[in-house]
Amino acid sequence: EDQVTQSPEALRLQEGESSSLNCSYTVSGLRGLFWYRQDPGKGPEFLFTLYSAGEEKEKERLKATLTKKESFLHITAPKPEDSATYLCAAGSGANSKLTFGKGITLSVRP
Amino acid sequence: EAGVTQSPTHLIKTRGQQVTLRCSPISGHTSVYWYQQALGLGLQFLLWYDEGEERNRGNFPPRFSGRQFPNYSSELNVNALELEDSALYLCASSLGRTENQPQHFGDGTRLSIL
């Protein structure tokens, strides 16, 4: 059975304090590793897709990386507006189903 | 470009009732997905529709069903509502059946069962 585990569950950072969010996955036939951001009362907002080990993608203060077992979302010099829940999801096989982790709630203090 | 739209935004029902949730995908997207996000459980895959057909379903009982219309919009129906059905129901859409296309989400329908 496909599994995605995210850690830590919650992370509190000071503005400007860089850190990384972890996503571990066990999936048969990974078709893509997806990162989303979810604000309270909203649906998940798509951030990145990674397809193969060694791939990296960047957007503003965020950088996502992928290995054969894990993905990391690195946040450089975060700002309070980066506070949100970050979800990672793995797509497998040909059934377009995404298996989501439970998310990491990030709080950035000014 | 308009995103995925869902209606209604909130709904309150009682046990045993039936509910219908609606979703309009992004223009040009033919695949629609439904997820349940219950407190503490994360997003759980419910159903996938593409070109009007149900392509896959998650581990949910048959009282969860849906359909996709010729304009690619979709409905999720839940019969015989139970307390544990209280959750945020999210709809997502993507370009066709390409397995690694990102899914784009609406803001969901918050369903509360009393």
Side-chain angles (χ1 to χ4, degrees):
Chain A
E1 184 179 331
D2 296 344
Q3 284 191 334
V4 175
T5 304
Q6 292 187 252
S7 62
E9 288 186 11
L11 184 63
R12 297 186 67 182
L13 299 175
Q14 197 69 36
E15 184 172 2
E17 179 187 1
S18 301
S19 188
S20 294
L21 313 181
N22 175 263
C23 170
S24 300
Y25 63 90
T26 305
V27 166
S28 55
L30 182 73
R31 295 300 187 103
L33 192 291
F34 302 84
W35 280 97
Y36 289 86
R37 168 190 171 131
Q38 187 173 24
D39 293 301
K42 298 287 188 180
E45 174 191 350
F46 171 70
L47 292 173
F48 303 108
T49 309
L50 302 165
Y51 296 109
S52 56
E55 188 175 0
E56 298 182 352
K57 287 195 177 170
E58 286 188 66
K59 180 180 178 180
E60 296 181 354
R61 296 176 292 282
L62 301 176
K63 178 175 153 181
T65 62
L66 182 66
T67 72
K68 288 187 178 179
K69 293 183 179 180
E70 293 176 305
S71 179
F72 293 92
L73 185 65
H74 307 278
I75 302 178
T76 303
K79 298 182 178 181
E81 53 261 42
D82 294 323
S83 297
T85 296
Y86 290 86
L87 301 167
C88 114
S92 66
N95 59 19
S96 283
K97 169 189 166 185
L98 289 183
T99 300
F100 278 85
K102 291 188 178 181
I104 297 170
T105 300
L106 174 67
S107 299
V108 182
R109 301 187 301 273
Chain B
E1 177 185 90
V4 175
T5 57
Q6 293 186 243
S7 63
T9 54
H10 295 85
L11 210 47
I12 300 174
K13 293 285 188 179
T14 56
R15 288 178 59 193
Q17 287 189 307
Q18 176 265 342
V19 68
T20 298
L21 311 181
R22 294 177 175 82
C23 171
S24 292
I26 292 171
S27 178
H29 287 189
T30 61
S31 276
V32 171
Y33 311 81
W34 288 94
Y35 291 85
Q36 182 194 67
Q37 189 174 32
L39 207 59
L41 290 181
L43 274 83
Q44 304 291 319
F45 170 73
L46 269 165
L47 290 159
W48 168 35
Y49 292 95
D50 183 76
E51 296 287 354
E53 300 285 332
E54 181 181 304
R55 303 294 181 181
N56 193 22
R57 68 179 291 129
N59 295 325
F60 282 84
R63 58 192 185 82
F64 287 84
S65 65
R67 54 180 174 167
Q68 186 179 34
F69 298 97
N71 66 353
Y72 303 113
S73 67
S74 177
E75 285 182 352
L76 174 69
N77 299 293
V78 188
N79 295 320
L81 287 166
E82 300 179 2
L83 292 176
E84 53 263 35
D85 296 334
S86 294
L88 180 68
Y89 289 84
L90 291 161
C91 171
S93 71
S94 73
L95 285 167
R97 297 177 62 184
T98 307
E99 289 78 21
N100 50 14
Q101 287 291 321
Q103 297 177 16
H104 297 272
F105 286 81
D107 286 337
T109 294
R110 172 73 62 185
L111 176 62
S112 300
I113 312 300
L114 303 178

